[in-house]
Amino acid sequence: MTNPAFSHSVDLSPPASHFRAWFGCAAGCGGGELPLNQVIYYCPACGGLLEVQHDLAALRSRSAEEWKLLFDDRHRRTMYPYGSGVWGKKEMVCPAVADHNVVSMYEGGTNLFWAERLGKQIGLEDLWVKQCGNSHTGSFKDLGMTVLVSMVKQMIAEVTRIPAVACASTGDTSAALAAYCAAAGIPAIVILPRNRVSTAQLIQPMANGALTLSLDTDFDGCMRVVRELCTRENIYLANSMNSLRLEGQKTISIEIVQQFDWEVPDVVIVPGGNLGNISAIGRGFLLMRDLGMIDRLPRLVCAQAERANPLYRSFLTGFSSYQPIQAQETLASAIQIGDPVSIDRAIKVLKAFDSVVEQATEEELADAVALADRTGLFNCPHTGVALAVLFKLLERGQIKSPERVVVISTAHGLKFTDFKRRYHEGKLPDMAARYANQPVELPADYDKARDAIFRVLEK
Ligand SMILES: *Cc1c(COP(=O)(O)O)cnc(C)c1O
Ligand SMILES: [Zn+2]
């Protein structure tokens, strides 16, 4: 379609009735279609997880070219809520939410950074980092939370009684839930594992006025409590077994392809903990392929911390077996999960792609962060896991130039300054911190400052 007037001929908010989505059984047991405004997380027929399913026939009523033009037309524009990277794709995300119920903070539309200098250093010219952490609450969790909280706002408007929304979190989900609920005036409850989230991550829900419970356990322990709370007390569950969130996270893959002028990259690397995101990103690509918007799939790589690696262990058996584990403490605290909720979703998606699961040690992830930071990035430890896995796959020849590789950066490094400080001070245990850069402490004296500078410059 080349008509320059095209963008004005597309109705930006088509009737909600035309595009339809519902909860269906993720395992495909035939449990039926349940409305998205029902408070339900598990298939009533088989007890498995639900997924949001879309009326593909309705979506096909527009051609692939029409969708691309429409999405490009809305991208980063001002017509609320369509300038959002998530709501600009509303028909493929959550068509039933009325625009006036959408709680958006202009999420998505994050920079796809050409990591030219880092790429040169590692021999990969076409390396890109999708900066999903450059977002309202500093992580990619905003993408899914806007969908969930918008649906809650709509349900409350329809007079469903929902006294509060709750989540267990490794730090970023709770920050996103707290902010979106605060913006909408909905009470939020966040349940965090004590001493296992960063200072910034603890302060975010406090500042946004969420009821913040700090439990003496790990994430998996918090998850057990919130699950019971939400089954017994009519509080709405915001964890990712609630598949509404995955619909927002899915827009990451659509947006990446859009940012490459609708070309598919060769490899996408995603750090994985609870595994909702690797599933969502995979599903985004599959949906685009089903709608004819792309004609091939990228290779998918899921990157895990060695100390919280149940998916990696399953991958080693060709996904023929899976065992939850007790996750050990890792610097990549947001993915310190031994019993991931979305394990079945992730395995199903990874089997549909040419895919790899790889792991990174504490030293590998910390060095990867520091090396990449020296080229102008400012990474979180989870992005470090993804980068360390990239370095490994390059070394083994499983990824090669001139392939186009996208690393998903999941959170902003400023949330993890404790980790960076300890690295640069050489205080992280069991590692050489080979890229550490320490401040030089001096009296306020010109000659001493000059000497210190020229000692380095003349090296
Ligand atoms: C949530 C999160 C992840 C992992 O996403 P999952 O869906 O749990 O696998 C990775 N990095 C950061 C920063 C996160 O907050
Ligand atoms: Zn079922």
Side-chain angles (χ1 to χ4, degrees):
M1 188 120 0
T2 50
N3 179 0
F6 174 80
S7 59
H8 305 289
S9 68
V10 175
D11 180 359
L12 290 180
S13 51
S17 55
H18 182 61
F19 300 103
R20 265 184 0 103
W22 55 85
F23 287 129
C25 177
C29 82
E33 298 179 4
L34 302 157
L36 296 183
N37 60 359
Q38 188 174 338
V39 181
I40 190 161
Y41 317 108
Y42 300 102
C43 172
C46 75
L49 287 177
L50 297 169
E51 65 184 13
V52 175
Q53 297 169 348
H54 290 266
D55 178 350
L56 290 177
L59 289 172
R60 286 196 186 103
S61 68
R62 279 192 190 141
S63 72
E65 278 318 299
E66 284 172 324
W67 282 120
K68 293 177 192 177
L69 284 169
L70 177 63
F71 291 171
D72 285 344
D73 195 43
R74 290 170 172 171
H75 194 64
R76 303 280 90 189
R77 300 291 289 276
T78 45
M79 191 200 215
Y80 189 88
Y82 295 92
S84 150
V86 172
W87 297 102
K89 282 123 186 134
K90 186 180 178 196
E91 295 85 350
M92 296 185 191
V93 171
C94 194
V97 173
D99 288 354
H100 62 269
N101 285 326
V102 169
V103 186
S104 171
M105 295 181 183
Y106 210 53
E107 48 292 309
T110 52
N111 183 21
L112 183 56
F113 176 92
W114 181 30
E116 183 185 10
R117 186 156 170 244
L118 178 62
K120 282 217 173 88
Q121 288 178 12
I122 62 174
L124 185 68
E125 303 264 303
D126 212 357
L127 172 62
W128 302 75
V129 179
K130 175 65 173 159
Q131 297 279 49
C132 297
N134 293 357
S135 183
H136 186 75
T137 71
S139 91
F140 70 162
K141 297 290 201 292
D142 291 348
L143 300 169
M145 205 53 82
T146 182
V147 179
L148 183 136
V149 173
S150 299
M151 183 50 84
V152 170
K153 185 172 175 198
Q154 174 145 321
M155 288 158 76
I156 292 172
E158 291 164 349
V159 285
T160 310
R161 208 182 75 78
I162 297 176
V165 184
C167 73
S169 176
T170 52
D172 290 327
T173 300
S174 41
L177 178 67
Y180 281 86
C181 281
I186 298 169
I189 301 165
V190 310
I191 303 188
L192 299 170
R194 191 176 310 157
N195 297 330
R196 286 178 169 91
V197 304
S198 75
T199 310
Q201 288 172 321
L202 175 63
I203 288 173
Q204 285 182 293
M206 287 164 52
N208 287 137
L211 173 55
T212 307
L213 306 184
S214 173
L215 303 194
D216 189 12
T217 178
D218 60 4
F219 171 80
D220 296 300
C222 292
M223 197 60 243
R224 283 189 285 275
V225 172
V226 81
R227 212 186 284 224
E228 188 164 348
L229 187 69
C230 292
T231 352
R232 291 173 55 169
E233 306 295 342
N234 192 33
I235 289 171
Y236 195 74
L237 178 66
N239 280 98
S240 57
M241 58 264 282
N242 188 327
S243 51
L244 285 170
R245 276 183 45 211
L246 303 190
E247 291 309 287
Q249 301 297 138
K250 174 180 91 177
T251 61
I252 295 171
S253 28
I254 307 177
E255 188 170 287
I256 288 171
V257 175
Q258 181 176 21
Q259 286 173 312
F260 285 130
D261 286 329
W262 302 102
E263 275 181 27
V264 181
D266 296 304
V267 183
V268 177
I269 307 181
V270 190
N274 228 354
L275 306 178
N277 278 287
I278 186 77
S279 318
I281 288 167
R283 277 168 49 98
F285 283 111
L286 293 171
L287 177 67
M288 282 187 284
R289 191 189 56 179
D290 286 350
L291 297 176
M293 296 169 71
I294 57 175
D295 54 14
R296 68 186 185 106
L297 297 174
R299 289 194 285 142
L300 266 193
V301 179
C302 186
Q304 289 214 294
E306 188 185 41
R307 310 193 72 177
N309 63 354
L311 181 69
Y312 174 71
R313 291 172 192 228
S314 174
F315 172 75
L316 293 182
T317 71
F319 297 127
S320 66
S321 79
Y322 165 74
Q323 280 294 318
I325 61 166
Q326 176 68 48
Q328 291 174 277
E329 204 169 318
T330 166
L331 295 165
S333 50
I335 55 175
Q336 186 180 323
I337 294 172
D339 188 7
V341 161
S342 292
I343 184 72
D344 294 336
R345 288 175 175 146
I347 290 177
K348 184 171 154 197
V349 157
L350 289 169
K351 282 180 171 169
F353 283 75
D354 182 0
S355 59
V356 175
V357 184
E358 187 47 78
Q359 63 177 4
T361 66
E362 298 299 286
E363 182 166 27
E364 286 166 346
L365 77 88
D367 279 342
V369 165
L371 181 72
D373 283 2
R374 287 193 161 214
T375 66
L377 287 152
F378 197 70
N379 291 286
C380 74
H382 324 89
T383 308
V385 171
L387 288 167
V389 160
L390 165 66
F391 301 165
K392 270 188 197 178
L393 296 181
L394 263 174
E395 222 157 80
R396 273 193 227 137
Q398 283 175 269
I399 292 175
K400 303 195 210 26
S401 218
E403 282 182 312
R404 170 170 286 179
V405 178
V406 179
V407 170
I408 308 290
S409 176
T410 49
H412 201 292
L414 283 172
K415 283 189 164 200
F416 298 90
T417 45
D418 330 352
F419 149 74
K420 286 180 185 289
R421 179 171 181 177
R422 284 163 66 212
Y423 180 89
H424 288 287
E425 288 177 345
K427 288 189 180 146
L428 290 177
D430 308 319
M431 63 179 76
R434 61 179 62 82
Y435 306 111
N437 180 30
Q438 292 185 46
V440 182
E441 290 182 5
L442 294 170
D445 177 283
Y446 172 78
D447 292 323
K448 292 213 164 74
R450 190 193 174 281
D451 287 352
I453 291 164
F454 281 91
R455 226 176 289 137
V456 174
L457 291 186
E458 283 161 7
K459 238 190 223 167

